[in-house]
Amino acid sequence: MTAPTLDTAPLRPPGPRAHLTDQRVRDALTVQQHLLTAARAFLHDAGFAETLPPVIGPVTDPGGRGSKQVDVDFYGHPYKLMTSAILYKQTSLLAFRKIFCIAPNVRLEPLETADTSRHLAEFHQLDVEVAGASREEITRLAADLVVHMVRAAVAALPEVFARLGRDTSAFAGLTPGGFPSLTHAEAVALLRQRGHEQSPDAEIDWRGEVLLSAARTGPFFVVDYPKGSRGFYDRESTTTPGALRNFDLIAPEGYGELCSGSERTHTYAEIVTRMRETGENPQKYRWYLDVVREGVPASSGFGIGVERLTRYVCGLDAVWQANAYPKLPGVVSP
């Protein structure tokens, strides 16, 4: 299987019958089921409670990178489809100290992302949140979880990986104990050395992400994104002002980002301040702020893109091959 490149021609899914009967798609969905089964076992054994988050609410994660939210009419009230469960993950820690969920998310990504091979307008995330956890603890958990998921799928499905043409020796270096990391500033410097003009004040763009990813043989973290590049829920460092205590997990071989997470901003005053700094109106988040005002635990968490992880593990050309009913940005589909 050839790893993705910047020059890969865009692929589009066929109709539902052709898609669901395609052996490559069926194999990818089989691998995906094993990945999720392994994740549930790992997290249950570690004392996590599985929650069932809402799919609509009065407000959702503000998102970024040009994506838009979807409005729905809830008995005359304007509600949103969830772009991520992050606000509900924080408040769910009032019931359980360690939680996870596997849920759909809807983001109207910019039309140009239909041809990146990594974007869907509707996708699924494996979301995790832990009360009292630091970034170091949560990145270790994310790495160990991914290692466990991949190992379980590879061990259970050798014939499937053979049909997919995925050389599983690519995962030989995946061992528990964490992945290496570089700071956002170090990533920007590396990209500029390679002739890519990455902004030091913004998220790593898609081309930059692929360049970093293609140069690695194993997953790695990018940490300390600059303040202003991410949402109000990513906590600012107390020792490095202007740097956020967040991270992305990047797959090797050009597959790009698999997971994002952070330590969370969790006090009322800090959250309102960060909302205003990022251009958000606190009034929109009334229910969330009412809960936060009375106190929520400090926490850290992350979300793993299920289709993106499946794509990397299977060596797929495009993320839509890991979704039963793929919806590319701007493409009308079932």
Side-chain angles (χ1 to χ4, degrees), residues 10 12 65-68 107-117 119-121 328-332:
R12 296 296 173 93
R65 297 201 186 197
S67 64
K68 296 180 180 179
R107 299 177 189 174
L108 298 185
E109 301 283 0
L111 293 177
E112 59 268 22
T113 62
D115 294 332
T116 64
S117 299
H119 287 89
L120 292 169
L328 291 177
V331 179
V332 176

Side-chain angles (χ1 to χ4, degrees), residues 252-306:
E253 305 176 66
Y255 288 101
E257 179 204 327
L258 299 178
C259 165
S260 289
S262 72
E263 289 181 11
R264 309 303 189 192
T265 310
H266 68 280
T267 68
Y268 178 82
E270 288 177 318
I271 290 174
V272 170
T273 298
R274 290 295 312 285
M275 282 180 173
R276 289 172 174 155
E277 288 175 346
T278 57
E280 287 294 316
N281 178 6
Q283 185 64 22
K284 292 194 321 185
Y285 298 86
R286 184 184 304 172
W287 79 264
Y288 169 71
L289 290 174
D290 285 347
V291 175
V292 169
R293 185 184 286 109
E294 295 187 36
V296 294
S299 68
S300 294
F302 58 82
I304 297 174
V306 173

Side-chain angles (χ1 to χ4, degrees), residues 110-129:
L111 293 177
E112 59 268 22
T113 62
D115 294 332
T116 64
S117 299
R118 68 184 284 267
H119 287 89
L120 292 169
E122 180 185 66
F123 62 97
H124 297 79
Q125 279 196 169
L126 167 57
D127 275 299
V128 174
E129 198 77 15

Side-chain angles (χ1 to χ4, degrees), residues 54-274:
V55 295
I56 64 170
V59 72
T60 185
D61 169 12
R65 297 201 186 197
S67 64
K68 296 180 180 179
Q69 301 170 1
V70 177
D71 296 320
V72 296
D73 185 314
F74 184 69
Y75 298 99
H77 296 273
Y79 269 48
K80 305 286 186 182
L81 293 181
M82 289 296 106
T83 61
S84 96
I86 187 167
L87 305 182
Y88 293 93
K89 287 198 300 177
Q90 278 189 283
T91 55
S92 293
L93 296 177
L94 295 171
F96 303 102
R97 301 293 292 180
K98 299 195 291 186
I99 63 104
F100 78 96
C101 61
I102 301 169
N105 297 267
V106 177
R107 299 177 189 174
L108 298 185
E109 301 283 0
L111 293 177
E112 59 268 22
T113 62
D115 294 332
T116 64
S117 299
R118 68 184 284 267
H119 287 89
L120 292 169
E122 180 185 66
F123 62 97
H124 297 79
Q125 279 196 169
L126 167 57
D127 275 299
V128 174
E129 198 77 15
V130 180
S134 67
R135 184 178 67 187
E136 289 69 28
E137 291 167 326
I138 206 70
T139 52
R140 170 70 176 265
L141 174 66
D144 288 351
L145 175 59
V146 167
V147 169
H148 178 80
M149 293 167 73
V150 174
R151 283 182 164 186
V154 168
L157 302 168
E159 72 289 349
V160 173
F161 282 96
R163 276 200 304 269
L164 287 165
R166 182 57 158 148
D167 182 0
T168 56
S169 67
F171 311 123
L174 293 185
T175 56
F179 298 138
S181 65
L182 66 159
T183 67
H184 179 273
E186 290 169 335
V188 169
L190 284 172
L191 289 170
R192 290 189 164 187
Q193 288 172 12
R194 295 171 187 172
H196 180 68
E197 290 302 314
Q198 169 65 46
S199 168
D201 302 315
E203 291 190 279
I204 304 298
D205 61 39
W206 170 230
R207 183 180 176 85
E209 200 175 279
V210 173
L211 289 169
L212 290 173
S213 173
R216 298 288 186 124
T217 58
F220 62 99
F221 290 108
V222 176
V223 302
D224 294 346
Y225 281 76
K227 186 177 178 181
S229 66
R230 292 283 173 92
F232 60 81
Y233 36 77
D234 286 7
R235 191 174 76 82
E236 185 176 3
S237 172
T238 57
T239 57
T240 310
L244 300 173
R245 293 282 291 168
N246 60 4
F247 61 91
D248 279 351
L249 175 59
I250 311 295
E253 305 176 66
Y255 288 101
E257 179 204 327
L258 299 178
C259 165
S260 289
S262 72
E263 289 181 11
R264 309 303 189 192
T265 310
H266 68 280
T267 68
Y268 178 82
E270 288 177 318
I271 290 174
V272 170
T273 298
R274 290 295 312 285

